[in-house]
Amino acid sequence: MQRTDLDLWPSARRVIVGSNGTGASTVVADERDMPRTKLPSGIELQEVWQQRHLPAAPDDRPAPEWTLGPDAPADGVVVRILTVPAANGAGLAEPDLHTDPSLHVITMLSGELVVLLEDGEVTLGIGDSVVLRDSMHDLRNLQPRPATFVYTSVPLTKTEPDH
């Protein structure tokens, strides 16, 4: 069977727990049709959760029309599964160091990922995590198999120095 680009990581299952009419905990959604998108870079995103505002309310649910984008909501949080395709042997493009005013937590599920920084790099394997706080970085998969990780992003607020 031929794999498609969106088969790099099988569609993850999202189970949402809430309360029933008597207030008891119960499954309110069990689904495999989370929004998925493929970026021009070849990276595939699966939207696990998007919390538009904090604090969260008990009945908050992601709206189906919310679109995927690289940034966290200005007042919320995103949790995604990202898959970076296997290296294709065509040579590496120039690093695309970038940042945004967010705290990113990446935890590897499979494969290996190189996190390029302005001063060095770190290689992550299965189970490893990295925390990027408004840091210039680029993510590279140099291996012949896809690299998949959970990505959580929370916006940071800039604080003014005390005078």
Side-chain angles (χ1 to χ4, degrees):
M1 173 181 1
Q2 176 107 17
R3 289 171 49 137
T4 67
D5 290 337
L6 291 178
D7 288 332
L8 292 176
W9 181 257
S11 184
R13 179 179 175 204
R14 174 174 59 189
V15 177
I16 301 172
V17 175
S19 298
N20 67 15
T22 66
S25 60
T26 189
V27 172
V28 296
D30 188 342
E31 54 204 11
R32 288 198 182 271
D33 59 349
M34 292 183 289
R36 296 171 76 161
T37 205
K38 186 175 177 185
L39 301 176
S41 63
I43 295 173
E44 180 189 320
L45 295 142
Q46 291 184 72
E47 197 85 5
V48 176
W49 192 259
Q50 195 175 100
Q51 183 67 44
R52 288 292 173 112
H53 301 285
L54 296 175
D59 60 348
D60 283 350
R61 298 278 298 276
E65 69 274 6
W66 289 352
T67 58
L68 300 173
D71 299 330
D75 299 315
V77 175
V78 293
V79 179
R80 297 177 171 133
I81 296 173
L82 277 76
T83 299
V84 180
N88 63 12
L92 293 176
E94 287 295 314
D96 179 22
L97 292 173
H98 60 281
T99 189
D100 58 71
S102 298
L103 170 84
H104 304 297
V105 180
I106 293 171
T107 301
M108 295 301 297
L109 298 175
S110 68
E112 188 175 281
L113 195 66
V114 177
V115 182
L116 298 174
L117 306 168
E118 290 175 292
D119 183 18
E121 64 184 49
V122 63
T123 300
L124 303 175
I126 296 170
D128 293 343
S129 296
V130 64
V131 178
L132 299 163
R133 293 180 285 211
D134 197 13
S135 306
M136 294 294 286
H137 66 280
D138 190 15
L139 305 177
R140 297 282 178 106
N141 179 6
L142 306 177
Q143 300 301 311
R145 63 190 180 285
T148 299
F149 54 94
V150 175
Y151 165 96
T152 302
S153 185
V154 180
L156 293 173
T157 56
K158 299 286 183 180
T159 57
E160 296 296 321
D162 293 332
H163 293 290

